């Protein structure tokens, strides 16, 4: 349904600022004749709404992201009905949002209602097209956070108006197309989850059982890592890691920030927040090879190995490693789910191990038993896991790129269809009713990589 799209037989100059040509049989009307602005207020008991780019206008209680909660003057908020359209403060970035719930919303927003109810489905797609969003940017007033769309400037804009039967065909075709593309995206998202689960399984097995499955094993009686190779030892962490507390004194060293993915990085490269030398005099000094633990987020595996001299937060634990320790091995051990669960259980304070004020203090950390392979084997395991991680990252990055390509393809396809750059009337006759099950796309219909995306280009695509 993607490879056989053709352009319409004839086109004409549209007179539309943002869409030079449209199919010859399409009409054009000013936006203000297609929709009408609604300013209904005085409904303080209606539920609050949130205007989102990804989900449309929905109930605020159903929106996970934190937003400002209106507490006063609810009677001044505008009433929105289901299937109305809302121009929000972010509409110039992603189009005009459709309402999927009745409620009240900021008086700063513009509420629009389709003059003809049968136009709503088509308009919802048109208002999210690339060309229309570009046109919205020409109507922006204000600067930075104060930017907003001036509806008075937008209202006279000419809009494409396909015949009603073709609007229905466009809506039906894109319903099928979006379902197929979204299924492909979901499948790739699941693949990324499976790849991460596989990575965790391989890492846990390697750091608790080694790389050779044929060696004899022994029971440790320790639940969180179980059996280990018979030639490995077990010791408490305090014999492997020794905490030290060396404060700066001058505050002239560079500050390091501990990040979940990047590890220890220079603070001034990832944050604009400036901390003066008078404060940094209380911070802890670390050097290459030292282990750093964020006490409050140890249960999330937030450990890192310092690769340079610098300062870290006084709330962190800074540790030297014993000669029998390859810090890379234990860094991977500490990021396994089993280890993080153990850290959570050993943490104390209020809340949970991942939030609140739970901390893994050095005394509790030191009591945790750890498996100890011979140093040479630790290094071998670390090297192998680094190799496998690189391969896994390459695969995950490739799949993530395929997801982005599918999203771009979905957006471009939608824009080309709703603006008449391709004709979907004939293919719609072969599609089942949208209320039925939408078949999954075959692999040769959807873009999966840069190499085969070009094969899916069709008339009207100008990327």
């Amino acid at each position: 349904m993607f490879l056989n799209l053709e352009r319409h037989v004839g086109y004409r100059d549209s007179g539309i600022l943002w869409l030079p040509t449209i199919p010859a049989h399409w009409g054009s009307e000013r936006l203000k004749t297609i929709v009408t602005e609604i300013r209904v207020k005085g409904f303080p008991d209606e539920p609050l709404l949130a205007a989102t780019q990804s989900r449309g206008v929905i109930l605020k209680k159903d929106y996970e992201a934190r937003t400002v909660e209106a507490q006063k003057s609810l009677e001044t908020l505008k009433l929105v009905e289901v299937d109305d359209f809302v121009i929000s403060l972010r509409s110039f970035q992603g189009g005009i949002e459709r309402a999927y719930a009745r409620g009240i919303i900021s008086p700063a927003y513009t509420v629009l209602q389709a003059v003809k109810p049968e136009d709503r489905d088509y308009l919802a797609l048109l208002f999210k097209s690339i060309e229309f969003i570009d046109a919205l940017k020409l109507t922006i007033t204000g600067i930075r956070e104060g930017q907003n769309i001036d509806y008075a400037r937008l209202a006279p804009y000419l809009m494409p108006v396909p015949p009603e039967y073709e609007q229905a065909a466009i809506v039906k075709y894109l319903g099928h197309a979006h379902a197929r593309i979204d299924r492909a995206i979901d499948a790739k998202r699941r693949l990324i989850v499976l790849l991460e689960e596989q990575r965790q399984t391989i890492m846990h097995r390697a750091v608790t059982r080694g790389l050779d499955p044929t060696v004899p094993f022994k029971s440790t009686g320790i639940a969180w890592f179980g059996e280990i190779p018979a030639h490995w030892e077990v010791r408490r962490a305090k014999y492997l890691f020794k905490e030290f507390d060396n404060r700066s004194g001058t505050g002239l060293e560079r500050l390091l920030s501990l990040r979940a993915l990047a590890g220890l990085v220079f603070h001034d490269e990832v944050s604009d927040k400036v901390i003066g030398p008078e404060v940094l005099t209380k911070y802890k000094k670390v050097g290459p090879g030292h282990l750093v633990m964020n006490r409050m987020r140890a249960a999330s595996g937030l450990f890192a190995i310092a690769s340079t001299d610098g300062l870290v937060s006084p709330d962190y634990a800074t540790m030297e490693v014993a000669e029998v320790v390859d810090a890379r091995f234990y860094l991977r051990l500490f990021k396994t789910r089993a280890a993080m669960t153990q850290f959570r259980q050993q943490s104390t304070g209020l809340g949970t191990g991942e939030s609140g004020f739970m901390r893994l203090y050095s005394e509790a950390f030191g009591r945790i038993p750890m498996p100890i392979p011979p140093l040479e084997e630790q290094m071998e395991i670390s090297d192998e896991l680094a190799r496998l991680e690189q391969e896994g990252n390459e695969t995950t990055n490739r799949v993530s790129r395929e997801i982005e390509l599918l999203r771009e393809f979905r957006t471009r396809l939608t824009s080309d269809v709703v603006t008449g750059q391709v004709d979907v009337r004939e293919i719609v006759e072969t599609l089942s009713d949208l209320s039925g099950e939408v078949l999954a796309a075959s692999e040769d219909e959807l873009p999966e990589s840069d190499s085969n995306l070009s094969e899916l280009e069709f008339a009207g695509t100008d990327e």
Side-chain angles (χ1 to χ4, degrees), residues 79-91:
L79 180 68
V80 178
E81 299 283 359
V82 174
D83 288 329
D84 284 350
F85 296 98
V86 173
I87 301 177
S88 75
L89 298 180
R90 290 290 175 264
S91 290

Side-chain angles (χ1 to χ4, degrees), residues 191-204:
L191 175 58
I192 290 176
V193 172
L194 291 174
L195 288 171
E196 173 58 21
E197 291 178 352
Q198 182 185 53
R199 187 186 73 85
Q200 280 284 337
T201 299
I202 292 173
M203 184 166 64
H204 181 268

Side-chain angles (χ1 to χ4, degrees), residues 347-367:
S347 298
T348 57
L350 301 175
T352 67
E354 296 179 352
S355 62
F357 295 97
M358 295 288 287
R359 285 182 172 84
L360 179 61
Y361 289 100
S362 300
E363 295 79 6
F365 174 72
R367 291 193 296 267

Side-chain angles (χ1 to χ4, degrees), residues 19 63 73 81 89 102 151 153 157 170 177 195 210 292 346 353 364 388 423 425 459:
L19 188 62
Y63 187 46
S73 304
E81 299 283 359
L89 298 180
R102 173 188 164 103
Y151 181 65
R153 188 183 302 176
Y157 274 28
I170 288 171
L195 288 171
V292 178
Q346 298 298 325
L388 293 174
D423 186 356
R425 290 173 296 178

